[in-house]
Amino acid sequence: MIPYGTFTFFLIAFVLLIPVIILGLQGKRSRIYNGLSTLVMIELIFSSDKHNLFGQTWLSVQFINFILYILWQVAIILYYWKSRAKNNTFSKFFIVIVLSILPLVIVKIAQSSLIGASSIHFHESKVVELIGFLGISYITFKSVQLLMEIRDGSIKEVNFWKIIQFISFFPTISSGPIDRYKRFAKDDQKIPSGMQYHQMLLKAVHFIMIGFLYKYIIAYLIQVYAINPLMLDFNGFTTKWLYMYAYSLYLFFDFAGYSLFAIAFSYIYGIQTPPNFKQPFKAKNIKDFWNRWHMTLSFWFRDCIYMRTLFFLSKKKLLKSQFAMSNIAFSLNFIIMGIWHGIEIYYIAYGLYHALLFIGYGYYERWRKTHPPRWKNQITTIISIIITFHFVAFGFLIFSGKLF
């Protein structure tokens, strides 16, 4: 069952969470019940009529893959945690990172080469159903981030059950937002008072209402009355131009709606999962956009790819120019982000496109330091927002695979 995809999913989730809500309003929490309710929801998410064992819907191939993958990640994390003091070399760190992402790489290659990934959210190919599971990317992101934080020494304590709880947290399991272990563990350790939980519950209800507006009203209307009619005769410049607008808006409202559902259910559990979107189409430039769009993923790539690449280049002094090294790091960051979506040419082109936008804007910023603008007011701000939106929307057209 697709998370937040049907009324049945919401109904079952709400019924299961009634005890959580009652305890929360009393300033209490049952970790045992939270764990059991999470297990039930995970089993519901991965249940399958097609790919199961012994004819049992609940014993699906995806569910088995999920359990095995969780154990795989936990084993890697605990091994690295326990062995880091004796031998915390880069080679060992590199090996555990490779082992952590290896299953995801296999799934992505199989998906792209045998069937081809779909740009429509939540589509799962038969290949992924058989060798992977829904949300494998986001569990991998959490695990890799945790390994990096262990190497940096910012993680002071790692607990077996806490790791499982963190990487298998059902509200965010399929498409994020991507939380951080330290932040998650802090929320989980501190039980909010009845009054604090009441405020969190009100926010959760608000997020759910906005989520329904975004995903099941606005995104639905865009798909039915804009995307579908345009796809009937997808030829000509004007059609693709209109599709660019429709697809960009659809992506935002569909994914932002889902993210709000995930955040809402997190709040019900007492976990304040960070937001994923912050009015991205109000961005004044491309850097501002990536500080607003899919923020948890953007910040993950920034911290795990860009910053570490830049640190490595600076440490080795491979180039004299810090600006040039930053551009190399930006390029690698967005190319990997594109490949993560799939190895199709349009995903890679999407990554390269945003790398070029970042590099180009970097040169523009340097030029602006010696050429300050003559006018800086509300009109120029609106113009900046419009220009940025069109650059971003064209990138989504590339991402959709419909440009050529």
Side-chain angles (χ1 to χ4, degrees), residues 18-31 34 187-201 267-270:
I18 289 175
V20 177
I21 295 172
I22 293 174
L23 289 173
L25 291 173
Q26 297 176 0
K28 299 177 182 179
R29 176 184 292 165
S30 172
R31 299 186 186 279
N34 285 2
D187 276 3
D188 182 67
Q189 185 176 2
K190 182 181 179 181
I191 301 176
S193 66
M195 184 61 68
Q196 290 173 330
Y197 186 81
H198 179 260
Q199 294 300 317
M200 293 176 66
L201 189 60
Y267 271 53
I268 294 174
Y269 273 109

Side-chain angles (χ1 to χ4, degrees), residues 70 103 108 142 152 159 177 245-246 283 292 303 323 329 346 393:
I70 292 294
K108 287 294 183 180
K142 289 182 177 181
D152 295 341
N159 178 274
Y245 291 131
R292 295 168 174 266
D303 296 341
F323 181 69
Y346 47 86

Side-chain angles (χ1 to χ4, degrees), residues 45-261:
I45 290 171
F46 294 124
S47 61
S48 174
D49 293 326
K50 296 180 180 179
H51 306 292
N52 55 61
L53 301 177
F54 313 113
Q56 301 297 318
T57 302
W58 66 271
L59 193 61
S60 67
V61 174
Q62 279 210 0
F63 181 69
I64 298 300
N65 290 343
F66 171 79
I67 297 298
L68 293 175
Y69 190 63
I70 292 294
L71 295 175
W72 171 262
Q73 293 293 347
V74 171
I76 292 172
I77 292 168
L78 289 178
Y79 164 76
Y80 187 61
W81 167 256
K82 293 180 179 179
S83 65
R84 77 198 186 289
K86 297 180 180 179
N87 183 21
N88 192 19
T89 61
F90 178 78
S91 59
K92 175 181 285 189
F93 172 70
F94 178 78
I95 290 172
V96 295
I97 289 294
V98 170
L99 291 175
S100 180
I101 67 174
L102 182 60
L104 174 61
V105 172
I106 294 173
V107 169
K108 287 294 183 180
I109 292 176
Q111 182 184 28
S112 298
S113 61
L114 297 181
I115 295 181
S118 172
S119 60
I120 300 299
H121 198 50
F122 287 132
H123 174 77
E124 286 291 302
S125 69
K126 293 180 180 180
V127 175
V128 177
E129 289 179 350
L130 291 174
I131 67 175
F133 57 88
L134 185 69
I136 186 173
S137 295
Y138 293 90
I139 292 179
T140 304
F141 288 147
K142 289 182 177 181
S143 302
V144 169
Q145 175 70 34
L146 183 49
L147 288 169
M148 290 184 172
E149 290 177 342
I150 290 174
R151 175 171 172 79
D152 295 341
S154 60
I155 300 293
K156 305 302 180 183
E157 182 182 359
V158 171
N159 178 274
F160 174 79
W161 290 110
K162 191 70 68 181
I163 297 173
I164 292 180
Q165 182 185 1
F166 170 63
I167 61 180
S168 64
F169 189 51
F170 102 80
T172 62
I173 201 168
S174 59
S175 287
I178 305 169
D179 208 345
R180 303 296 174 99
Y181 179 79
K182 287 175 62 177
R183 204 215 61 75
F184 179 90
K186 184 178 179 180
D187 276 3
D188 182 67
Q189 185 176 2
K190 182 181 179 181
I191 301 176
S193 66
M195 184 61 68
Q196 290 173 330
Y197 186 81
H198 179 260
Q199 294 300 317
M200 293 176 66
L201 189 60
L202 290 178
K203 289 183 179 179
V205 173
H206 175 72
F207 291 148
I208 289 173
M209 293 299 101
I210 300 299
F212 270 106
L213 173 64
Y214 280 10
K215 184 173 177 66
Y216 289 111
I217 297 179
I218 299 178
Y220 172 79
L221 291 175
I222 292 173
Q223 184 174 31
V224 172
Y225 294 104
I227 291 179
N228 291 348
L230 289 170
M231 291 298 295
L232 293 176
D233 185 19
F234 199 77
N235 294 305
F237 174 82
T238 302
T239 302
K240 292 185 177 181
W241 188 263
L242 293 174
Y243 179 84
M244 178 185 77
Y245 291 131
Y247 185 73
S248 300
L249 294 174
Y250 171 80
L251 277 183
F252 168 70
F253 286 109
D254 180 72
F255 198 10
Y258 164 85
S259 296
L260 287 169
F261 292 145

Side-chain angles (χ1 to χ4, degrees), residues 285-288 290-291 298-299 301-311 313 319 322-339 348 350-363 365-366:
N285 54 66
I286 192 61
K287 289 186 177 180
D288 187 26
W290 280 106
N291 285 327
S298 175
F299 297 159
F301 271 93
R302 179 198 64 192
D303 296 341
C304 296
I305 306 297
Y306 170 76
M307 293 301 297
R308 292 177 184 275
T309 301
L310 184 59
F311 175 77
L313 295 174
L319 295 172
Q322 186 75 12
F323 181 69
M325 289 188 290
S326 179
N327 287 339
I328 293 174
F330 275 133
S331 299
L332 182 63
N333 180 84
F334 282 105
I335 290 172
I336 293 176
M337 182 183 287
I339 293 174
I348 299 174
Y350 173 77
L352 286 170
Y353 173 75
H354 274 279
L356 291 174
L357 289 182
F358 253 76
I359 293 171
Y361 185 74
Y363 279 104
E365 283 185 314
R366 297 182 75 182

